[in-house]
Amino acid sequence: DPSSLLLITSLLESSKENKCVFFLFCIRDNEIQRSPNSPVFNWYQSTLKMPLKHITLANLNEEGVNSLVSDTLCLFPRLTRHLSQVLHHRALGNPFFVWQLLDTLQKEGYLYHSLRGTVKRWAWDMDKINSLRISDSVLALLMREMNKLPDDLKMGLEVASCMGATVSMDIVRILSFHLQIDLSAILDSVTGKGFMD
């Protein structure tokens, strides 16, 4: 929101002399490009004039996705290459989306442990994976995963979204009392499922 952007700008300007301050901002290029008249776009343009170090993180190439998949599944890259090519195409190299796709494939049984041979290892059916209708949007995939959550965890996510990046345990206890739920346990479960840190 504009007030937050104004506060951030003020903090940046007031800390120009102090070399011991570290700020980290993450902005998606596609969101800025979609809305060139938005407050975020204007703010971002103003930061380009400040003595900041801008680091651009690109999506992973096919080889990068294959490294991620190979490491995740503990298999040689030559064994995961075809699966990685499909995931790269679906995720457009977005590592978070690749991770979510792998998680979805495993939860739905398309990625499974095989007991063939003498070694237990990950296996998959490429024909089934290719025929799956997997959303091309990270947001759509997350929404689909969130909709599968039990009602208490959905409510925990709703409450957490109102609390900001961090919250004290005192506030969690107060909210638990007023909502008559164990919010701490719910937030732990939501974190365990990868929706929060």
Side-chain angles (χ1 to χ4, degrees):
D1 68 71
S3 299
S4 298
L5 296 175
L6 186 61
L7 174 64
I8 293 169
T9 302
S10 176
L11 288 171
L12 286 170
E13 289 174 350
S14 67
S15 65
K16 282 181 185 176
E17 302 303 317
N18 189 345
K19 303 293 184 198
C20 299
V21 177
F22 178 76
F23 291 99
L24 176 68
F25 304 101
C26 298
I27 299 175
R28 293 183 194 102
D29 288 343
N30 63 339
E31 290 181 4
I32 290 175
Q33 292 164 357
R34 264 194 311 224
S35 309
N37 295 323
S38 72
V40 173
F41 178 80
N42 293 331
W43 175 80
Y44 176 73
Q45 291 295 76
S46 74
T47 65
L48 296 175
K49 299 171 189 146
M50 295 180 183
L52 301 174
K53 179 155 181 124
H54 292 264
I55 301 172
T56 302
L57 299 177
N59 287 332
L60 298 174
N61 60 20
E62 241 179 59
E63 195 57 41
V65 170
N66 193 35
S67 292
L68 175 68
V69 173
S70 170
D71 289 347
T72 301
L73 301 181
C74 298
L75 294 171
F76 291 113
R78 65 181 169 77
L79 298 174
T80 59
R81 185 159 282 112
H82 190 215
L83 174 63
S84 297
Q85 288 170 341
V86 171
L87 295 177
H88 180 267
H89 175 73
R90 297 277 176 104
L92 302 174
N94 182 320
F96 178 72
F97 197 20
V98 170
W99 189 259
Q100 287 294 317
L101 286 171
L102 282 171
D103 188 53
T104 299
L105 291 174
Q106 188 272 326
K107 284 180 181 172
E108 294 186 8
Y110 296 102
L111 182 62
Y112 52 90
H113 279 107
S114 172
L115 300 176
R116 279 194 214 163
T118 58
V119 179
K120 181 179 176 181
R121 72 174 190 92
W122 287 101
W124 52 90
D125 183 337
M126 284 309 302
D127 292 332
K128 287 182 179 178
I129 291 173
N130 280 325
S131 67
L132 273 177
R133 289 180 36 92
I134 299 176
S135 171
D136 290 331
S137 160
V138 177
L139 179 60
L141 180 64
L142 283 175
M143 292 301 294
R144 184 172 147 212
E145 292 300 314
M146 284 181 188
N147 285 333
K148 291 179 183 177
L149 291 174
D151 289 340
D152 61 332
L153 296 187
K154 285 182 197 174
M155 199 266 299
L157 272 176
E158 289 173 9
V159 171
S161 70
C162 299
M163 291 192 282
T166 59
V167 65
S168 73
M169 284 308 295
D170 290 336
I171 292 176
V172 171
R173 281 191 282 278
I174 291 168
L175 288 170
S176 293
F177 175 77
H178 287 290
L179 296 171
Q180 297 182 351
I181 58 170
D182 185 356
L183 187 57
S184 181
I186 290 172
L187 294 178
D188 285 343
S189 294
V190 169
T191 302
K193 293 188 178 292
F195 289 103
M196 288 175 39
D197 289 331

